[in-house]
Every structure is written in structure tokens, then in C-alpha cells.
């Protein structure tokens, strides 16, 4: 069986109002005591599987959950157990799941990588949950005499460490599960409650929270883009392809946004959420003409959220990473605390904003909608993508030409005055990622690019980033179309490598430029900041030359022409 549900965290300020709507006369309150099982090294959790035995009212139910078909979907198998047998095992402290019941069931494929007999021997109880669940059935008579049923469940309680009852984590969340009817009713209902009570989407399961508790972590690690999860084949329609690309972006966005709304201030969560939103923007902008279901209101909200995240991330990274590294190389101390305090919006504020949360809901609904109902459902993606990517590369070429036309004020003319920094000093520390090796280029088309023109630089960066991300989405499908597969894949890998290196180098230039400007501005009130201003001015001259070479590689080659 596959369950389709949406889970939200409830802000404390809205809890009383929500409870008044949850605890109506028809609602039910049930105590749920659950025992969760896994191997000591959490092999099930690693595979995205949760296994529990839970008392639901007067019955004991064994449940296994695994990934389903869609972001809001989960595979679920429930088996009612014999109460007397369970009680006997509880009395002897030997309560364990019976894995033999999962042979030839809907969850059998999810457990295929495990040998059930061996797994059963290695299982242990890791944690328990003690939850009060308030449920209410929401009913709507939809079109065509279809009656829609949704179960709303508010859970309040805690997770308790299996070996140390003093270690506990609070549970306060609300779920909407489609019992029967139209999935559109599920999303419409969730949006109504989300608007009214400022709910925030969460992908963190109770099993995941239990795993974090026993490992002493507050949040799961940040999630990076994973193109291996892009589910496409050579016969996929263009509307279905667009949904697959958006789905892939959400797989990166939702776990990171869930961590942030739950309180994470880790740089990596913020960075990966920002990247996920940028990938999503690229997909929506480029493929908008291939789906009538894309809402034009999504892009401004995504852009605003990304901008707010970027502003905070820049200052946070500068204070926590850049400044300490500069001090290790003799720079005087610069205090960025007041600048951080001056920010009115934190990442949690930006991600918890109602318009962003509602946009995420609409995007999830979009990925789960039927692409066959679209007007362009008969158009294959492979027949459209090469032309689309060629157009995007043309936009990049235009952005490069725009910068070339402004070369008389190029960044090679940056004046480095302070601190007498040597090139050896610049090479000895890497303030961002890895030091990129030089790449020879035979092209003379890109010379003296004026990367000091902010508008033109921004346009170049945006077009290059968009081309990279949509190429990542498209090249696996285009490879399948070509007859000489090995050669095609080699060309695609080389092309993506050129794009990734160019984007990374330009991104580094952009970051160093931003840091130089911040230190320069800071020097007006703190002369200690002159060291950082001079340091990054020197970095920019090196970055400029590398960026030229990387861009030359991209403009000189393409697998789409």
C-alpha cells in the first residue's frame, strides 16, 4: 500500500488556534506507544526504511515504511499482531518484529537488498516514541460524485533513547493523509491550513528523528543534488521530463529547508538549499513553455528566497571561515558581529515565510500531477532538448560578448595597494573550495572580459549557471538518443566538465569580489579591514585570468550544435 501524506511543523505561536480546529467533537485522541528497530549501524535508515511495532488504541501493529512514488508518497505495510503474544514478549523484554510477513508484499522490493533472516538477527530496539495523536476526518464531496477523505493527525509527544531515557526529543507536527479521492483535495486542504497557521513542510520522519537522537545529532546532514535520482527514459514526454527535473530539485530542496525550519543554522544546509533553488529556477525558466501547469508566480518567490539566503550565507561564511583564515596569515581582526546582527531576516525566517512554503506545496503537487493531460503530452523530450540547450548556449555567448564590449575597464586594471601581498601568499590558502588548476585554451575570442561591470557579470553568471544545470538534466537523455553511445557519453562528460569548471571559477570570482567589496566598505569604519580588501583585490586578478580560460572552453565546444 502507498500512503500519500504531507507533514508540517507547527509554530508555537499558532498552536492554540490549530488545536481548536483539530479537537472538534468528531475528533479522536489516541495514545501511541511505538518501538523502532534497526541494526546497530542503522542499515534500514540508510536505505530510507523505517520499522516499528506500535500500540494503536487496543491493537498492536507492525509497520514498515519505505520510499514511494513521489515526494509525498511512501510505501507502507501494516500487520496487526496478536495482543497476547506481544504482551508476553513485552513482559520478557523480548519484543521484536517478525520479518517473515514481508515475503511477497508491496514492500518486498524495498527490502530486497537485505537477507531477512540475517537482518532479523541483527535488529535491535533503538528508540521508542510516546505520542498523543489527535485525528480528524476531513470530508469533501468533489466533482463527479467523488467523495474525498483526508485524515488530519496532530502528534504531540517525544522520542526516547532506547538505552537512556534521559535523552529525549520533542515531537510537535501535523500530517494530512489522503484516505480516498482526488489528490488535488489533499493539496488544497494543506494549503488552507498552511496559510492559516503558518505551517512549515517537513520531510523528517519519526524514524529519522530517532536516528538523530541516538547519534547525538540535531539535524541530518545537508543533501546535495543527486542526478542518479532523475527518473527519465528516452520515450519520456516533454511535460513529464519537466516534472522529473522539478522533482529532482525538490529532492535537494525539501530536506535542507526542513532542517532550517527546525532550527539549523549550518552553512551547508543553507548552501545546498540555495543551490537547489537555483537549479529549480533554471528548470522553470528554461522549460516553462513546455508545460501549461507552471505558475509564473513561483519564480519571483524563489528568487526572493534565494537572495535572502545568499545575503545571510555570505556574511556568515565571511565571519566563520574567511576572517579566521585571513587572521592565520597575519591579518588584523575584523569583527563582523554587528553586520550579522543588522540582518533583519534569518534563513529560518526566509524559509518559514508563508509564500515560500505555499510555493513548495504547489511544486510538489505539480510533480505529482498527470503529464499526459498536458497539451504537449505527445511531444518527446529528446526531440526538444538539443534545440533548447543550443538556445541557452547562444544566450551565454551573447552575455560573453556584452562583457567583451566593456573590456576597456577590465578587472586586469584592479589597483592593489595594501599589504604588499605576494602571489605565493595567495596560493598558500584556499578560502572557498579547491584551488583550480590552469587550463590551456587556444581561443582568442575571450580576452579582457570586464567582470567589473556588475550587471553584465550577473547576466553572464546567470546564463552560465542555467546552462550547466539544464545540461545536467538533459544530457543523460540525449546520450540515449545518439547511436554511438560511448562517444556520446564521453562528449557529454567533457562538456559538463567544461561547464562545471567555468561556473565554479566564475562563482569563485563573484565571491571574492563580494568579499573585497565588503572589506572595502568595512574599512571606512575599521582600518583593519584594509588587509582583507587588498587580499581579495589580488585574488581577483588571478581569478579573472582563470575565468577567461574556463569560458573559452565552453564557448569553443558544444555537444548540441
Amino acid at each position: 500500500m502507498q500512503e500519500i501524506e504531507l507533514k508540517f511543523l507547527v509554530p508555537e505561536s499558532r498552536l492554540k488556534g490549530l488545536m481548536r480546529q483539530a479537537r472538534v467533537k468528531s475528533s479522536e485522541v489516541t495514545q501511541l506507544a511505538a518501538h523502532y528497530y534497526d541494526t546497530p549501524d542503522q542499515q534500514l535508515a540508510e536505505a530510507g526504511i523505517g520499522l516499528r511495532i506500535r500500540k494503536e488504541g487496543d491493537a498492536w501493529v507492525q509497520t514498515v515504511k519505505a520510499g514511494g512514488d513521489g515526494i509525498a508518497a511512501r510505501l507502507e505495510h501494516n500487520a496487526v499482531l496478536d495482543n497476547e503474544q506481544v504482551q508476553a514478549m513485552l513482559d520478557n523484554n523480548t519484543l521484536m518484529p517478525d520479518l517473515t510477513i514481508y515475503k511477497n508484499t508491496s514492500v518486498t522490493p524495498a527490502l530486497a537488498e537485505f537477507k531477512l533472516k540475517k537482518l532479523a538477527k541483527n535488529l535491535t530496539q533503538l528508540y521508542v516514541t510516546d505520542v498523543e495523536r489527535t485525528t480528524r476526518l476531513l470530508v469533501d464531496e468533489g466533482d463527479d460524485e467523488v467523495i474525498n477523505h483526508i485524515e488530519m493527525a496532530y502528534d504531540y509527544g517525544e522520542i526516547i533513547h532506547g538505552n537512556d531515557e534521559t535523552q529525549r526529543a520533542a515531537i510537535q507536527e501535523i500530517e494530512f493523509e489522503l484516505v480516498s479521492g482526488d489528490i488535488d483535495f489533499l493539496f488544497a486542504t494543506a494549503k488552507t491550513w498552511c496559510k492559516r497557521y503558518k505551517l512549515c513542510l517537513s520531510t523528517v520522519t519519526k524514524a529519522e528523528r530517532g536516528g538523530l537522537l541516538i547519534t547525538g545529532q540535531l539535524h541530518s546532514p545537508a543533501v546535495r543534488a543527486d542526478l542518479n535520482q532523475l527518473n527519465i527514459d528516452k520515450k519520456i514526454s516533454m511535460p513529464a521530463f519537466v516534472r522529473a527535473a522539478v522533482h529532482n530539485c525538490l529532492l535537494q530542496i525539501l530536506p535542507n529547508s526542513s532542517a532550517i525550519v527546525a532550527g539549523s543554522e549550518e552553512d551547508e544546509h543553507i548552501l545546498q538549499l540555495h543551490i537547489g533553488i537555483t537549479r529549480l529556477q533554471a528548470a522553470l525558466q528554461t522549460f516553462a513553455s513546455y508545460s501549461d501547469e507552471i505558475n509564473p508566480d513561483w519564480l519571483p518567490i524563489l528568487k526572493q528566497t534565494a537572495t535572502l539566503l545568499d545575503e545571510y550565507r555570505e556574511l556568515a561564511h565571511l565571519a566563520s571561515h574567511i576572517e579566521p583564515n585571513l587572521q592565520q596569515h597575519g591579518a588584523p581582526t575584523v569583527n563582523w558581529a554587528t553586520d550579522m546582527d543588522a540582518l533583519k531576516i534569518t534563513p529560518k525566517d526566509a524559509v518559514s515565510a508563508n509564500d515560500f512554503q505555499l510555493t513548495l506545496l504547489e511544486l510538489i503537487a505539480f510533480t505529482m500531477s498527470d503529464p499526459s493531460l498536458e497539451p504537449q503530452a505527445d511531444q518527446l523530450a529528446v526531440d526538444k532538448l538539443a534545440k533548447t540547450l543550443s538556445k541557452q548556449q547562444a544566450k551565454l555567448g551573447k552575455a560573453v560578448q556584452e562583457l567583451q564590449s566593456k573590456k576597456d575597464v577590465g578587472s586586469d586594471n584592479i589597483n592593489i595597494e595594501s599589504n604588499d601581498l605576494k602571489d605565493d601568499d595567495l596560493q598558500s590558502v584556499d578560502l572557498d573550495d579547491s584551488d583550480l588548476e590552469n587550463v590551456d585554451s587556444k581561443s582568442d575570442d575571450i580576452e579582457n572580459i570586464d567582470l567589473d561591470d556588475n550587471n553584465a557579470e550577473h547576466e553572464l553568471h546567470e546564463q552560465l549557471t542555467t546552462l550547466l544545470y539544464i545540461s545536467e538534466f538533459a544530457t543523460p537523455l540525449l546520450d540515449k538518443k545518439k547511436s554511438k553511445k560511448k562517444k556520446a557519453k564521453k562528449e557529454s562528460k567533457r562538456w559538463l566538465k567544461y561547464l562545471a569548471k567555468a561556473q565554479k571559477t566564475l562563482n569563485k570570482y563573484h565571491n571574492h569580489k563580494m568579499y573585497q567589496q565588503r572589506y572595502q566598505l568595512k574599512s571606512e569604519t575599521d582600518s583593519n579591514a584594509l588587509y582583507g580588501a587588498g587580499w581579495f583585490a589580488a585574488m581577483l586578478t588571478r581569478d579573472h585570468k582563470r575565468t577567461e580560460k574556463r569560458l573559452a572552453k565552453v564557448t569553443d565546444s558544444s555537444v548540441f550544435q
Side-chain angles (χ1 to χ4, degrees):
M1 182 181 76
Q2 182 168 263
E3 62 174 4
I4 301 176
E5 67 177 21
L6 298 164
K7 181 186 296 184
F8 301 85
L9 299 184
V10 184
E12 197 68 39
S13 61
R14 300 282 176 158
L15 183 56
K16 289 184 179 179
L18 182 143
M19 290 307 299
R20 283 195 294 269
Q21 288 297 316
R23 289 184 172 174
V24 296
K25 288 184 179 180
S26 60
S27 64
E28 296 182 1
V29 178
T30 308
Q31 290 298 133
L32 302 176
H35 304 251
Y36 283 79
Y37 299 86
D38 204 336
T39 61
D41 56 353
Q42 298 193 64
Q43 293 178 22
L44 290 177
E46 185 70 21
I49 298 171
L51 176 62
R52 74 177 183 228
I53 297 177
R54 184 171 73 180
K55 188 174 185 180
E56 302 177 5
D58 294 328
W60 283 93
V61 180
Q62 181 176 310
T63 299
V64 65
K65 292 189 178 185
D69 182 19
I71 290 173
R74 294 268 290 169
L75 283 175
E76 178 177 334
H77 183 280
N78 296 298
V80 179
L81 304 179
D82 183 278
N83 280 5
E84 291 186 2
Q85 291 181 0
V86 171
Q87 190 58 53
M89 287 188 286
L90 285 172
D91 292 340
N92 295 317
N93 197 26
T94 58
L95 181 62
M96 292 295 289
D98 177 8
L99 300 186
T100 62
I101 64 178
Y102 298 127
K103 293 180 179 179
N104 302 318
T105 66
S106 60
V107 296
T108 300
L111 294 168
E113 65 178 280
F114 299 98
K115 294 181 179 179
L116 295 185
K117 288 185 178 180
K118 182 178 179 181
L119 178 63
K121 293 179 181 179
N122 292 328
L123 287 178
T124 184
Q125 177 183 283
L126 296 182
Y127 48 90
V128 298
T129 60
D130 184 12
V131 171
E132 180 185 84
R133 167 166 290 185
T134 302
T135 57
R136 175 185 170 188
L137 193 63
L138 306 176
V139 182
D140 172 73
E141 293 187 10
D143 299 333
D144 301 324
E145 298 182 352
V146 174
I147 300 179
N148 302 306
H149 293 86
I150 291 175
E151 182 182 75
M152 182 222 71
Y154 170 71
D155 288 347
Y156 179 83
E158 55 188 355
I159 301 172
I160 306 166
H161 195 294
N163 298 320
D164 184 357
E165 291 190 0
T166 64
Q167 296 187 45
R168 299 173 178 236
I171 297 173
Q172 187 170 297
E173 59 192 25
I174 188 168
E175 299 175 359
F176 298 89
E177 181 179 351
L178 182 65
V179 178
S180 63
D182 193 340
I183 193 172
D184 289 342
F185 179 59
L186 172 66
F187 285 99
T189 302
K191 285 176 64 177
T192 299
W193 283 69
C194 188
K195 286 179 184 178
R196 186 178 300 165
Y197 301 109
K198 311 302 179 188
L199 305 178
C200 293
L201 277 161
S202 176
T203 60
V204 185
T205 65
K206 292 182 180 68
E208 187 177 345
R209 289 188 185 184
L212 293 172
L213 177 66
I214 63 175
T215 55
Q217 298 174 282
L218 294 176
H219 309 285
S220 295
V223 174
R224 295 171 176 264
D226 184 359
L227 290 165
N228 290 324
Q229 294 182 306
L230 183 64
N231 187 19
I232 56 175
D233 59 60
K234 62 182 181 180
K235 293 184 179 181
I236 192 171
S237 70
M238 197 62 203
F241 176 81
V242 177
R243 283 164 172 77
V246 172
H247 178 269
N248 190 260
C249 295
L250 289 175
L251 291 177
Q252 181 181 15
I253 290 171
L254 291 169
N256 292 306
S257 65
S258 296
I260 291 171
V261 297
S264 172
E265 295 180 347
E266 294 179 17
D267 287 353
E268 193 64 13
H269 282 130
I270 300 170
L271 173 61
Q272 293 305 322
L273 175 57
H274 186 274
I275 292 173
I277 293 175
T278 305
R279 294 175 67 232
L280 178 58
Q281 287 177 280
L284 293 175
Q285 287 174 331
T286 307
F287 303 134
S289 62
Y290 297 119
S291 173
D292 292 351
E293 298 299 319
I294 292 178
N295 186 342
D297 293 336
W298 292 341
L299 277 171
I301 293 170
L302 293 171
K303 182 177 181 180
Q304 179 187 41
T305 305
T307 300
L308 293 171
L309 290 172
D310 206 30
E311 184 177 7
Y312 179 92
R313 185 177 60 86
E314 287 174 353
L315 267 177
H317 189 73
L318 191 153
S320 62
H321 291 81
I322 302 300
E323 182 61 24
N325 278 329
L326 284 179
Q327 289 177 31
Q328 288 181 4
H329 287 77
T333 301
V334 177
N335 188 349
W336 293 96
T338 54
D339 301 79
M340 291 291 295
D341 293 339
L343 291 175
K344 296 181 180 179
I345 298 180
T346 66
K348 183 175 181 179
D349 295 331
V351 178
S352 300
N354 211 219
D355 56 356
F356 179 66
Q357 290 294 319
L358 290 170
T359 297
L360 290 182
L361 270 175
E362 291 179 5
L363 285 162
I364 296 171
F366 170 71
T367 64
M368 299 186 73
S369 62
D370 188 352
S372 67
L373 301 178
E374 293 256 30
Q376 301 185 59
D378 59 338
Q379 298 183 3
L380 295 180
V382 292
D383 296 334
K384 298 290 183 180
L385 288 176
K387 186 177 180 179
T388 299
L389 287 164
S390 294
K391 286 183 178 179
Q392 185 58 40
Q393 188 177 17
K395 290 181 180 180
L396 175 64
K398 185 178 180 180
V400 170
Q401 291 175 0
E402 183 70 20
L403 283 169
Q404 286 176 323
S405 68
K406 303 174 186 298
K407 65 182 179 180
D408 53 329
V409 196
S411 60
D412 283 330
N413 298 323
I414 293 175
N415 185 24
I416 307 170
E417 297 179 351
S418 60
N419 306 307
D420 192 27
L421 296 174
K422 298 179 181 179
D423 190 60
D424 289 342
D425 294 329
L426 297 177
Q427 298 291 344
S428 65
V429 62
D430 182 10
L431 296 176
D432 283 308
D433 294 307
S434 60
D435 190 28
L436 297 173
E437 72 279 8
N438 291 323
V439 176
D440 293 331
S441 173
K442 297 179 181 179
S443 174
D444 294 324
D445 294 335
I446 301 178
E447 293 181 351
N448 297 324
I449 292 178
D450 177 22
L451 293 175
D452 274 354
D453 184 281
N454 287 328
N455 291 333
E457 179 202 332
H458 175 77
E459 179 66 17
L460 173 61
H461 188 268
E462 183 175 297
Q463 297 302 338
L464 178 60
T465 300
T466 298
L467 182 58
L468 170 63
Y469 290 147
I470 64 173
S471 296
E472 289 178 339
F473 293 135
T475 48
L477 190 58
L478 293 176
D479 285 348
K480 294 177 181 180
K481 182 181 180 182
K482 296 178 180 179
S483 57
K484 298 180 181 179
K485 290 188 177 181
K486 289 185 179 180
K487 184 178 179 181
K489 289 182 179 180
K490 188 175 181 180
E491 289 176 351
S492 297
K493 287 182 179 179
R494 186 186 299 115
W495 165 249
L496 288 175
K497 183 179 179 181
Y498 291 159
L499 278 175
K501 285 187 174 182
Q503 195 265 353
K504 188 173 184 178
T505 311
L506 184 58
N507 196 51
K508 178 174 282 192
Y509 179 92
H510 170 80
N511 288 338
H512 287 174
K513 183 177 179 181
M514 181 273 298
Y515 297 141
Q516 196 277 335
Q517 291 172 344
R518 286 195 181 273
Y519 273 103
Q520 191 68 47
L521 182 62
K522 189 77 168 178
S523 69
E524 296 178 5
T525 56
D526 184 354
S527 61
N528 285 353
L530 285 171
Y531 188 103
W535 178 286
F536 283 107
M539 295 286 278
L540 287 171
T541 59
R542 184 193 68 174
D543 295 341
H544 179 272
K545 294 176 182 178
R546 291 181 173 184
T547 302
E548 285 183 343
K549 292 178 180 180
R550 300 296 195 202
L551 286 171
K553 284 286 187 180
V554 173
T555 56
D556 285 353
S557 61
S558 174
V559 296
F560 309 115
Q561 293 176 344

